[in-house]
Amino acid sequence: MLSKKIIEDGIMPPVSDRIYSNQGNSPLIDLLDKDCKRLLDIGCGAGDNAELLKSKNTECDVFGITYSAVEAELAEKHMTQCWVFDIESEIPADLNHQSFDVLIFSHILEHVRDPAVVLAHFSRLLRRGGVVLIAVPNVLSWRMRLQFLQGNFEYESAGVLDDTHLRFFTYFTADQYLLAKSPDLQVSTKTVSGSVPLWWLRRHILPQRWSERIDQWGCRHWPNLFGSQVLIKVMKR
C-alpha cells in the first residue's frame, strides 16, 4: 500500500520518492519456519515485514533492498542493513557474496519487466535448502472481476492496478511464470489469502470467527476467485 505522504496538486511523486508502507504481510510471513536467521526482503518498502519478523523472532537478521532512499531510511530502523538499487540491475558486490536462509518477494515481482529473470538472479544468494517467499496480487479475484465487468480498467496509485505494475498473475499462472527460469527452485506451498463477499452479514450478523472460517473455506476451494493475493513458498534444491 502506498503511504499517505503522497499526492500534492493531484500529481504522483516519482517512483524513487514513493513510500510503500503497511502492517507487513502476515499471511506470507506465517509460512516461515521459526529457525530462519538471515533474511533478505527484496522490495522491502518502509521495512514493515522486517518489523513483523522481528516481533516474531528477535534473533533474526533482516536485510532489505529498495529503489527508494526515502524508504531505506525508514526501513533501516528495523534492519541490519538496507541497500538502495534497482533489482533489475547488477547486484552490488558487497551483497553478491552473501548467503541467506530466506528471500522475500512481497508484492514486488509484479513491478519488474521480467520477474522470472529477477527471481533466478537473486536465488544465487539463497543457500541450498533455503526458502523463497513470494506474494503477488491475483488479478482475477472477485473484486477485480466485478470491476472488469463494469468496464473499469484504470491504473491507480495502489492495489492490483497500481500504476507501476508491469505484470499480472492469477493463482494458476503465478508459479508457472515466476519459476520458469529457476530449475533449482521447487514449490512446497501455494495458497491464497482473501475473503468471501459477505458484505452486511460480516459487519452486522456473523461473528468474526464465523466470517474468518467462511473466508478460509472459500479460499481453499476457489482460490482464484476469493484469493486477493497468491502466496508461494519455494525451496532451493
Side-chain angles (χ1 to χ4, degrees), residues 1 40 52 63-64 71 73 88 102 115-116 128 132 134 143 177 222 226:
M1 178 184 294
L40 178 62
L52 183 60
F63 300 78
E71 285 184 341
E73 185 176 352
E88 294 186 271
V102 179
R128 181 173 295 182
V132 183
I134 301 170
R143 286 188 176 87
Y177 185 83
W222 292 283
F226 296 123

Side-chain angles (χ1 to χ4, degrees), residues 123-138:
S123 68
R124 295 179 300 176
L125 304 181
L126 188 67
R127 66 167 176 80
R128 181 173 295 182
V131 172
V132 183
L133 294 184
I134 301 170
V136 292
N138 175 20

Side-chain angles (χ1 to χ4, degrees), residues 192-206:
V192 298
S193 67
S195 63
V196 175
L198 299 173
W199 293 296
W200 61 272
L201 287 173
R202 186 187 301 273
R203 291 189 177 186
H204 304 295
I205 304 294
L206 296 175

Side-chain angles (χ1 to χ4, degrees), residues 35-231:
D35 59 350
C36 297
K37 298 300 183 184
R38 286 176 56 84
L39 306 95
L40 178 62
D41 189 358
I42 301 161
C44 64
D48 302 291
N49 280 328
E51 184 176 9
L52 183 60
L53 286 161
K54 285 288 191 179
S55 71
K56 294 176 178 291
N57 181 2
T58 57
E59 296 182 359
C60 68
D61 287 323
V62 186
F63 300 78
I65 302 170
T66 176
Y67 186 69
S68 164
V70 180
E71 285 184 341
E73 185 176 352
L74 296 171
E76 284 180 334
K77 298 175 183 178
H78 311 291
M79 293 182 171
T80 303
Q81 185 174 354
C82 185
W83 289 268
V84 179
F85 68 96
D86 182 350
I87 64 172
E88 294 186 271
S89 63
E90 289 298 316
I91 299 175
D94 62 330
L95 172 59
N96 200 35
H97 297 293
Q98 299 200 40
S99 177
F100 298 92
D101 301 318
V102 179
L103 302 180
I104 300 173
F105 293 90
S106 181
H107 291 272
I108 184 64
L109 291 173
E110 64 270 22
H111 293 266
V112 301
R113 289 167 292 186
D114 196 336
V117 168
V118 171
L119 179 57
H121 195 49
F122 277 94
S123 68
R124 295 179 300 176
L125 304 181
L126 188 67
R127 66 167 176 80
R128 181 173 295 182
V131 172
V132 183
L133 294 184
I134 301 170
V136 292
N138 175 20
V139 74
L140 287 182
S141 67
W142 66 268
R143 286 188 176 87
M144 299 310 302
R145 296 187 195 205
L146 286 177
Q147 186 170 326
F148 297 155
L149 283 172
Q150 294 169 358
N152 182 5
F153 193 116
E154 296 182 5
Y155 284 101
E156 303 167 348
S157 62
V160 178
L161 298 181
D162 186 304
D163 59 356
T164 63
H165 286 185
L166 301 180
R167 300 291 181 181
F168 297 94
F169 305 97
T170 73
Y171 174 79
F172 297 110
T173 64
D175 56 320
Q176 298 175 24
Y177 185 83
L178 294 172
L179 301 181
K181 298 179 180 178
S182 300
D184 57 340
L185 300 181
Q186 183 174 15
V187 174
S188 64
T189 303
K190 183 171 72 165
T191 185
V192 298
S193 67
S195 63
V196 175
L198 299 173
W199 293 296
W200 61 272
L201 287 173
R202 186 187 301 273
R203 291 189 177 186
H204 304 295
I205 304 294
L206 296 175
Q208 181 179 351
R209 183 178 70 257
W210 289 19
S211 297
E212 290 174 352
R213 288 182 178 177
I214 293 172
D215 291 340
Q216 292 168 2
W217 179 83
C219 287
R220 184 169 62 251
H221 288 86
W222 292 283
N224 206 44
L225 177 61
F226 296 123
S228 58
Q229 62 171 347
V230 183
L231 308 174

